[in-house]
Amino acid sequence: MKKILCTLVLSFFGIHSAMIAQSSDSLNIRKIYDMSLLNGKSYEWLDHLSNEIGGRLSGSFNAEQAVEYTKKELENLGLDKVWLQPVMVPKWTRGGREFAYVQTGPGDTRNVNITALGGSIATAEGGTKAQVIEVQGLEQLKEYGEEQIKGKIVFYNRPMRADHILTFEAYGGCVDQRYSGAEEAAKYGAVGVIVRSMNLRMDDLPHTGSMSYGDLTEDQKIPAAAISTNDAAYLSSMLKIQNDLQVYFKMNCKNFPDVQSYNVIGEITGSETPNEIMVVGGHLDSWDLGDGAHDDGAGVVQSMEVLRLLKETGYQPKKTLRVVLFMNEENGLRGGNKYAEVAKEKNEDHVFALESDSGGFTPRGFTFNASDSQFNKVLSWKPLFEPYLIHYFEKGSGGADIGPLEGGDTVLAGLRPDSQRYFDYHHAANDTFDAVNKRELELGAATMASLVYLVDKYGLDSISNTAQLKK
């Protein structure tokens, strides 16, 4: 009888202890959200990045201004350490504004909206003009062969699939034509490529993005541009009527030798296990058409805000917490690779990394690159997020910049905002500060800080009492 009574008492105290822990966690997370929504800094920081600095293409003056500004702001937070990590990055400039038209007959032309793809060479000084052949993807080039493609402009017109609820799946389904389109078309003798913009809506805004020539020699490279979805539809419809029409386009872009830039890093030293490192970050560079507010100014300021929120609410991390603002995600991933390279050289123990690089829209949850046991641990915290309408917890990629940290027991995570409107702005001229909602941005920062708090407090190697209670 005494043994049964003792077991019951221990069980009671175990459950009671777990309930107290859960209540404490709920209160601390509430503090984090209150601080972000009532006294946040993320929107103010984004305003400066977007409106005072602007587009931050790697190797540009604006990118270096962003490095200086974010370093200063992290220093103002009173972190234990702030430093710059040198990294060599590509330098590509767009030059004068691109120009293009479709010609259906002598003197009968219609201007269309294009933009150079990042890394493309320029057209000839007088521009490039040729007949057009439309394809739906790289694989279709084989069907036409060199005989039909040589001397023409290849028009890649495979759209993002609107029936994908997860819009990043739609993006992944056709971005290969943007990245490798010029390389593959050049092998068949094409003189240029035009790629339908990676955009789910119909508008007049061309969307840029990175492209690669692979192993092509300089004399094999051909110019590559993106065309707006409205103009892609127009060009496709005209080709059905007149397949010998011509397109003219003129671009002035240029590649330069690599230049030195920096990752910006700030750190709060862990109070118990300082050798265990947790990273939160986004990429500081952006494309040059807009000011990079969603991609990835939002992720940058949210990551900075994570450290500020935890510091302001009085939480002292057990593990070392770093914010890393990566340089050159857009056209090289040099910053992410350099950070991982240095971490490996120093034999640093990274236990967790969280990235925000999906826009500043309403947060829905996270994806995790983790083992089953680690992921189950995260799922045990799901009820703590339910009051904030955070419900999406799935296995998946953490993010491009933290990807090089993958290995061992390191858990990688990515913030997942609602993505339905993300590709309306992605890499386009309308990716500007006014497209970001202040409250949505602040909710994302608080959501990230809450996850970091839980991972730091409980770790990801075993189920906590709080987690057991909720299962």
Side-chain angles (χ1 to χ4, degrees), residues 1-15:
M1 184 68 179
K2 288 182 179 180
K3 186 176 182 181
I4 294 174
L5 181 61
C6 182
T7 301
L8 289 173
V9 169
L10 289 173
S11 177
F12 170 78
F13 280 110
I15 294 174

Side-chain angles (χ1 to χ4, degrees), residues 368-390:
F368 297 89
N369 184 340
S371 68
D372 289 342
S373 62
Q374 291 168 331
F375 184 59
N376 287 335
K377 179 69 172 289
V378 171
L379 289 179
S380 73
W381 301 328
K382 195 173 179 180
L384 292 167
F385 288 93
E386 288 175 355
Y388 309 98
L389 305 181
I390 304 302

Side-chain angles (χ1 to χ4, degrees), residues 36 60 69 98 142 228 260-261 406 429 436 440 454 460 466:
S36 185
S60 68
Y69 171 70
E98 303 89 341
K142 296 179 182 178
S228 74
Q260 183 171 286
S261 188
E406 182 178 2
V436 176
E440 293 177 340
L454 290 168
L460 285 169
T466 303

